[in-house]
Structures are given as C-alpha cells and as structure tokens.
Amino acid sequence: MTNNSLCDLQQAVQQIIPNATLCPQSLPDTPIQLYLIDETFNQQPLESDVIQRIWQDTPYWIFCWASGLAMAQWLLQHPEIVKDKTVADFGAGSGVVAIAAKMAGAKQVICCDIDAVSLQACRANADLNQVELDYLDDLYKLKSVDVLLAADVLYDQSNRFFLDEFLKFADEVWVADSRVKNFSHPQYQKIAEHTATTVPDMDEANEFRNVSFYWHRPD
C-alpha cells in the first residue's frame, strides 16, 4: 500500500470523525492485521455533528466487527469450507473475511461492497496481509461462485431480502450474525455459535459478542 493510499483513507475517516487516525492492528487468534481506527477515538465524547455524520455515512470498514472477526477465525479453523474454491465476500467492509478465505486456501476471493472507500480499504488490507483479492461494487455483477460469505449484514431489517438473493449466486452460503435474534429462514440452518469482540473494542453488550453461523447448501 502506498503512502498516498493510506493518506486517502485517513482523509476519508477524518471527513466524518476529525482527528481520528488509522493504524495496523492485529486481530486475536488470527495472523491478520487490518488498518482500523485507533482505539483512543472513543476516549472522549464526540460532538453531536460528528455523531450525526457517523449515522448518515457510517464508515463500517474502520472497525473489524465481531461477526467478521468470528467468521475469519472460523474459516481459518475450517479451511475446507473455501479451499480451492471461488468465493465472494458480500458487504466486505474491511475485507477481513475475504483475507481469511484467501489465507485458508481459496482459489479466488471477490470482495463485494457498494461503498467505494470500503473497497479501497479492502485493497489496502489485502496488501498489508500480502494476499491477492478481486473487487466488485455490485452483487448483481457477480458471476456464480462456489461459496458466498456474509458477515454482519443483517443489522438493517431492509437487508434481510439478501438471504434469498444470495442463493442466486452460490450453492453454498455462510452467514455470520450477532444482531438478529430468533433468526429463521427455511433455506438456512444454524450450525454453530462463536464469541468475538469488535476491534477496536467498543464495549458492546455481551449479546452482540455472541455470533451465530448459518449455512445453506442444496440437499
């Protein structure tokens, strides 16, 4: 990653959160590092206008959310899920899941995110971890893949329709989520639970540290 690229990401953050800085941070129980917001950002109260900007244009990629970290750890522990396969990471954010999939032996991994800055962050984090990824700004441009991964994308009720859309692009789908309670969909089954914390730690409630994994594969 060039200094100019890091500078661009830094400027993108500071347009929303003045004085925030990015720095490489190691993720627990993985060999992965990501450029994330410095953990000191929340040690003093945020101005109301900053909070408003965060709500309006949340830079999701400046955190490694608990579900993303849990899925990354899961893939590294169970590489057979993606080994030698073509994989898409939907709502890639920081790229943590995509990076883990590539480290676990995936043949090709495509980061898919509608946010151009998120894709820029994915590129930066791929370079930081010395892996090669591909990038796409629209799910509906995706050709079929072997496995589709989606972590922490169901937080908004309006996103739930993607559970059906995913099935159009991959035979096998894995979803990791800590926000939706009583998840129920006839095409998915709950496989496991895993505990993880958002990095940097935002002192979230324990309920949001409990990540569930859901799986779809045709019978």
Side-chain angles (χ1 to χ4, degrees):
M1 179 181 178
T2 66
N3 288 335
N4 286 341
S5 298
L6 181 56
C7 184
D8 288 343
L9 287 175
Q10 187 71 66
Q11 290 177 353
V13 175
Q14 292 182 348
Q15 287 177 359
I16 300 171
I17 309 173
N19 302 320
T21 58
L22 299 174
C23 60
Q25 299 185 43
S26 297
L27 303 184
D29 300 318
T30 80
I32 300 172
Q33 284 194 316
L34 298 177
Y35 290 108
L36 302 173
I37 193 168
D38 190 290
E39 62 183 4
T40 61
F41 90 99
N42 64 350
Q43 292 183 358
Q44 52 186 333
L46 297 175
E47 300 290 337
S48 59
D49 61 325
V50 174
I51 295 173
Q52 183 69 18
R53 288 198 298 272
I54 292 173
W55 277 110
Q56 291 177 343
D57 190 16
T58 306
Y60 294 105
W61 57 273
I62 65 175
F63 295 96
C64 178
W65 299 93
S67 294
L69 175 57
M71 181 171 276
Q73 294 169 338
W74 180 260
L75 293 173
L76 293 168
Q77 294 165 4
H78 303 277
E80 68 279 1
I81 294 172
V82 296
K83 186 173 175 58
D84 298 324
K85 297 177 182 178
T86 300
V87 177
D89 173 18
F90 175 79
S94 66
V96 61
V97 170
I99 291 166
K102 192 67 176 179
M103 287 182 171
K107 178 174 63 176
Q108 178 188 17
V109 183
I110 304 162
C111 292
C112 182
D113 203 299
I114 61 172
D115 178 21
V117 182
S118 286
L119 290 181
Q120 186 179 357
C122 289
R123 290 185 176 93
N125 288 322
D127 290 345
L128 182 62
N129 291 277
Q130 299 182 330
V131 299
E132 183 176 342
L133 305 174
D134 294 300
Y135 307 92
L136 195 64
D137 63 0
D138 185 347
L139 174 67
Y140 296 97
K141 296 178 183 177
L142 182 68
K143 296 180 180 179
S144 62
V145 295
D146 298 312
V147 182
L148 189 148
L149 307 170
D152 202 22
V153 299
L154 303 181
Y155 56 88
D156 189 329
Q157 181 75 31
S158 65
N159 288 347
R160 308 289 169 80
F161 79 99
F162 279 120
L163 291 169
D164 293 308
E165 296 300 289
F166 294 156
L167 307 184
K168 300 176 182 179
F169 299 97
D171 285 339
E172 186 170 358
V173 179
W174 287 86
V175 176
D177 187 83
S178 65
R179 305 283 169 172
V180 181
K181 306 306 174 188
N182 302 316
F183 182 110
S184 178
H185 190 290
Q187 297 296 319
Y188 293 82
Q189 59 178 305
K190 185 173 179 177
I191 297 297
E193 292 185 0
H194 191 86
T195 300
T197 302
T198 294
V199 181
D201 190 353
M202 297 193 298
D203 197 26
E204 294 180 292
N206 286 335
E207 64 179 307
F208 298 130
R209 300 170 189 248
N210 187 38
V211 180
S212 296
F213 292 92
Y214 304 92
W215 179 58
H216 166 85
R217 190 171 72 177
D219 295 332

